[in-house]
Amino acid sequence: MKPIDKYFLTKEEPIKGCLLFLRNYIINFDEAITEDLKYGMPFYLFNGKMCCYLWIHKKYGLPYLGVVEGNKIEHEKLLSEKRARMRILLIDPEKDICIEDLNIILSQIVDLYKSKLI
């Protein structure tokens, strides 16, 4: 078993199911997105550049999608939490994930990295 697989499989439900869904969704969103384990967390790279990651919020205990260049992405559900660059999308694993929000955020990430501004 790869270390990145172990990261997901050691989580408890419903967080594990939520993270596994997000993992699959992100990897399949664009062919240029790949996955790697960095800093002990699953990172997603666009053409080799870190663009987003999955983690669990220490205070709330909720999984989230972290956006590396979040300050360049516009979406009302992205939180900055005293971060200058990165922003996060908190996800409640007890509720359905809003695919529309996920698509908007991931599309903006892909567009940003395709624009070569990063």
Side-chain angles (χ1 to χ4, degrees):
M1 181 183 321
K2 293 189 244 177
I4 197 158
D5 294 328
K6 189 174 180 182
Y7 171 84
F8 291 99
L9 298 177
T10 58
K11 304 298 179 216
E12 297 290 324
E13 290 294 355
I15 290 174
K16 176 167 70 173
C18 179
L19 289 172
L20 286 169
F21 169 79
L22 289 167
R23 175 190 200 188
N24 186 58
Y25 199 84
I26 294 167
I27 289 171
N28 290 297
F29 191 79
D30 189 282
E31 62 186 22
I33 296 176
T34 56
E35 180 184 56
D36 197 6
L37 191 66
K38 294 184 180 288
Y39 314 109
M41 63 182 79
F43 257 89
Y44 299 89
L45 299 87
F46 188 86
N47 288 331
K49 294 182 179 182
M50 294 188 293
C51 63
C52 60
Y53 62 96
L54 296 175
W55 198 240
I56 299 172
H57 198 284
K58 286 182 170 69
K59 182 177 177 182
Y60 303 116
L62 295 174
Y64 69 83
L65 170 68
V67 181
V68 174
E69 297 293 341
N71 60 339
K72 295 179 175 84
I73 303 293
E74 293 296 324
H75 195 278
E76 67 274 1
K77 291 188 181 171
L78 284 175
L79 308 173
S80 62
E81 292 193 316
K82 301 179 187 174
R83 303 167 200 229
R85 181 176 167 206
M86 296 191 192
R87 294 172 71 197
I88 66 169
L89 174 68
L90 282 173
I91 299 166
D92 185 344
E94 299 286 344
K95 297 180 181 174
D96 288 343
I97 294 172
C98 182
I99 297 300
E100 183 179 348
D101 289 340
L102 201 54
N103 282 340
I104 290 168
I105 292 167
L106 290 174
S107 292
Q108 286 187 51
I109 291 169
V110 167
D111 290 346
L112 181 64
Y113 282 79
K114 281 183 178 178
S115 74
K116 308 259 192 243
L117 295 174
I118 302 300

